Amino acid sequence: ARLDLSVAPVREALSILAGRGVVQLLPDRGAVMRQLTPQDVIQLWEIVSAIGCTGVYMAAKAVAAGGDPMLLEERYELIRDAPTKLSPLPFLLRLNDYHWAAHELAGNRYLTLALERLGLPYWDHYLVKFIDVRTHIDGYLANYRRLHESIMAGDGGAASATMRYHAAWSVDLVRQGRADVLAMHRRQVRRAGA
């Protein structure tokens, strides 16, 4: 299909995406999607954790002040709705949707904008490569149950602490996955040399 665009807006869009780290511009060759490493994902988690803690803290305070948590409740039910029937990426995207609803409840649209600028929906594609989401689905569900209960109780401190725990747990899973991949690679190299 033809988009009827000149080259200038496409170049501008690619420059913006390159600035956000989503694509890599190659001289005389165009653009390719930037590949994230486990270390990239771990570093992103450090930032996402801080924003996420702020978001859930503010959402809990909004509930305590009488804010309407209906959308948050709906998004939580989607997380709980047959998670094992979903492939890992749609499940992680439901977690994102939960946070977008928490940010809306908190009344601060910049929380979501910050996560979108970091490319959160994009890096979820890599997270599923580094974490076996299906194996750890019970951990995800337990973490989000505690998170949701804290927000609904209006306890910003508990919600923030749960988010910090979830982030640290996720980083540990990425590290564990990376160690598993390295060990497998070492075994393959040893077999090839034998």
Side-chain angles (χ1 to χ4, degrees), residues 15-27:
S15 286
I16 290 169
L17 290 172
R20 292 182 182 174
V22 175
V23 299
Q24 181 179 5
L25 298 177
L26 303 173

Side-chain angles (χ1 to χ4, degrees), residues 164-185:
R164 270 191 305 280
Y165 170 82
H166 177 71
W169 176 77
S170 296
V171 165
D172 285 345
L173 292 178
V174 171
R175 285 189 177 121
Q176 175 186 334
R178 186 171 77 183
D180 292 346
V181 168
L182 290 172
M184 183 177 69
H185 178 70

Side-chain angles (χ1 to χ4, degrees), residues 29-111:
R29 291 187 30 210
V32 295
M33 296 298 287
R34 180 173 167 260
Q35 300 295 306
L36 296 179
T37 66
Q39 189 59 36
D40 291 328
V41 171
I42 289 168
Q43 289 175 358
L44 281 165
W45 255 120
E46 293 170 352
I47 305 304
V48 167
S49 175
I51 296 167
C53 288
T54 301
V56 297
Y57 178 87
M58 292 175 71
K61 292 304 176 188
V63 168
D68 182 5
M70 186 175 73
L71 180 60
L72 193 68
E73 291 275 18
E74 290 172 5
R75 299 290 167 82
Y76 179 64
E77 289 307 316
L78 287 174
I79 292 169
R80 294 180 55 213
D81 182 35
T84 56
K85 292 183 180 176
L86 290 173
S87 62
L89 182 60
F91 177 75
L92 291 179
L93 294 175
R94 284 187 179 183
L95 301 182
N96 291 356
D97 288 342
Y98 181 83
H99 287 280
W100 302 166
H103 300 163
E104 186 174 317
L105 177 59
N108 189 329
R109 68 186 188 94
Y110 292 102
L111 294 163

